[in-house]
Amino acid sequence: MKLQRMNRRALTLGALAVSGALALTACGSDDTGNGEGGGSTSTAQAGSIDCGDAKGQLLADGSSAQKNAIDAWVKQFTAQCSGVQINYKGSGSGAGITAFNQGQVAFAGSDSALDSEEIAASKEVCSGGQGIDLPMVGGPIAVSYNVPGVDNLVLDAPTLAKIFNSKIKKWNDPAIAKLNPDADLPDLNIQAFHRSDESGTTDNFTKYLIATAKSDWPYEGGKAWQADGGQAASGSSGVAQQVSQTSGAISYMELSYAEGMDVVAIDTGASEPVKASTDSATKAIADAEIVGTGKDLALEINYGTKAEGAYPITLVTYEIVCDKGNKAETLPATKAFLNYIASEDGQGLLADAGYAPIPDDIIAKVRTTIEGLS
């Protein structure tokens, strides 16, 4: 994908740049912010969005995989709730969780649910409560590649693991050729790119490799890349740019960043290989189980699914917020925004932006939980 195509996509999604120094507003933070909005705030329905008492400025950070969705949501929300400004940085899941647990943001986005240590740390900023995971965005992790003359590449989990573990180094390797008997594979070096920053996309991609090709991927997994070799780039946009510009490149990224690029079809053991799409991701998310406790709605995805048409390398991005102890000055705006993005209208924007809506039974629980935030 060329840079101009990436720019057109960003314009299509209506990315909103919020200028100026924004107050640091967070659960339990001592920084109150200035609380000044950009206009009058409606306490009634503003079209399909209920602004309530929302006003002021929200700073958020986290998952770059959901950045395009957040930008589209922010455009719609702030158009009707003119008293609110929202700045979502999209610095990566690890950075978002760190900022949340340091009391620097009102909410964070993460492609991985909070672990036990992160939950414990959140209690320092969530007075009388803790951070919880609200599944809000679904989507496949596309494996994009740039191999001249190869348009319909098929790979399976062991082959992917060997590629990203620097065990397969040429595009005409016998393992790749076996999966692609009709392809004219070139004698070209593989340039495997991974994320340089801590990333929930990395976490979910490697969870898939661990679950389906453990002998070829002997790592523990996590947000930080662990394998030797390969090349690194920052953020989903960074790896997408490298793949689009580098002959022989391959990397993993959320589907909306792979627009205009070739993507791998995954041989899962089903009758046909499956490509990344919103529909194939939804089929995978529908099989997920809620494994969080209390108000936490963390999900567990079956990465080893062989269901027809289900794309296994699928992530769910969570919005992380305090169940109790949210900052009083920012709570109305936080709840109003989260209520909107969890609504039928908010979820309805996702497919057009290359994401998968959260299944009805799960998103209904999310809406109920948001209403109870305090």
Side-chain angles (χ1 to χ4, degrees), residues 72-236:
W73 281 330
V74 166
K75 179 183 178 182
Q76 297 298 320
F77 181 81
T78 55
Q80 295 194 41
C81 302
S82 59
V84 183
Q85 291 181 319
I86 301 173
N87 182 9
Y88 181 84
K89 290 184 178 180
S91 302
S93 297
I97 292 174
T98 296
F100 179 81
N101 282 340
Q102 290 179 349
Q104 297 175 347
V105 293
F107 67 92
S110 176
D111 307 323
S112 299
L114 295 167
D115 61 28
S116 58
E117 292 184 0
E118 291 164 343
I119 290 173
S122 73
K123 295 178 181 180
E124 297 296 319
V125 292
C126 299
S127 178
Q130 66 175 55
I132 58 172
D133 302 287
L134 302 177
M136 202 72 74
V137 181
I141 301 172
V143 180
S144 298
Y145 66 97
N146 181 348
V147 181
V150 181
D151 299 325
N152 294 292
L153 186 69
V154 176
L155 296 174
D156 58 13
T159 308
L160 271 174
K162 291 172 185 175
I163 287 172
F164 282 93
N165 200 24
S166 302
K167 301 301 182 183
I168 293 179
K169 300 182 179 181
K170 291 278 190 177
W171 279 111
N172 62 350
D173 187 275
I176 301 176
K178 183 177 180 180
L179 291 165
N180 299 272
D182 298 325
D184 184 13
L185 298 169
D187 183 14
L188 178 67
N189 289 333
I190 294 174
Q191 308 288 340
F193 285 88
H194 58 265
R195 291 279 291 273
S196 60
D197 52 318
E198 289 198 357
S199 161
T201 309
T202 293
D203 190 16
N204 283 274
F205 179 66
T206 56
K207 280 179 179 176
Y208 164 73
L209 296 179
I210 291 168
T212 56
K214 181 63 178 175
S215 61
D216 296 304
W217 192 258
Y219 305 102
E220 294 181 359
K223 297 182 185 71
W225 186 257
Q226 295 176 338
D228 294 329
Q231 302 181 62
S234 179
S236 296

Side-chain angles (χ1 to χ4, degrees), residues 267-300:
D267 183 348
T268 65
S271 62
E272 296 289 339
V274 185
K275 280 193 174 184
S277 71
T278 56
D279 288 343
S280 62
T282 297
K283 290 180 180 178
I285 296 171
D287 286 340
E289 296 182 3
I290 295 176
V291 294
T293 58
K295 294 183 179 180
D296 188 89
L297 299 176
L299 302 176
E300 184 174 82

